[in-house]
Amino acid sequence: MYETGQCTDKKHRYQPGVIRKYGDIINLMKRTRNVMGLCQYNSLRYEKLKGDKAGLSSVRVNDQYRIEFEERTKDGEVIATICNITDLSNHYK
């Protein structure tokens, strides 16, 4: 979805605005040195998840959707492993 701007899976069809914002946030995550840099963007609402999603972190795409991703430690810094984005999920379902 990041590369093509669309999803081939019929179950995961999103509005163009959601896809555009998703791409913008992935680009921002790529430019950010480490995940702590995401904290400076209050609108992303960066958080480490708990419970059955322990070990994952997330940022907000909009009021309805979040990007969930894994964090890794590299050279003493915590970084987001963007290539392992787990889910663009409806946060409230």
Side-chain angles (χ1 to χ4, degrees):
M1 189 165 88
Y2 171 72
E3 293 175 353
T4 64
Q6 57 186 338
C7 201
T8 57
D9 182 4
K10 289 184 180 184
K11 180 181 176 188
H12 298 102
R13 298 283 170 107
Y14 301 102
Q15 296 294 322
V18 172
I19 293 171
R20 187 172 39 258
K21 183 76 173 176
Y22 170 79
D24 291 346
I25 292 171
I26 296 300
N27 289 331
L28 175 69
M29 291 174 74
K30 285 183 168 185
R31 290 190 310 267
T32 304
R33 281 184 54 108
N34 59 44
V35 292
M36 295 315 293
L38 297 174
C39 295
Q40 71 182 1
Y41 302 99
N42 291 333
S43 62
L44 294 181
R45 315 268 335 244
Y46 165 77
E47 66 179 325
K48 290 188 178 195
L49 302 178
K50 300 175 185 170
D52 62 338
K53 293 190 177 194
L56 297 176
S57 297
S58 72
V59 291
R60 184 184 297 257
V61 172
N62 63 16
D63 289 339
Q64 189 176 11
Y65 295 100
R66 301 179 72 78
I67 298 172
E68 298 173 354
F69 57 93
E70 291 182 20
E71 293 182 19
R72 302 242 195 271
T73 302
K74 181 179 180 182
D75 299 328
E77 286 190 86
V78 178
I79 58 171
T81 306
I82 295 178
C83 60
N84 289 332
I85 290 177
T86 305
D87 195 17
L88 176 64
S89 64
N90 187 330
H91 183 63
Y92 299 103
K93 283 188 179 179

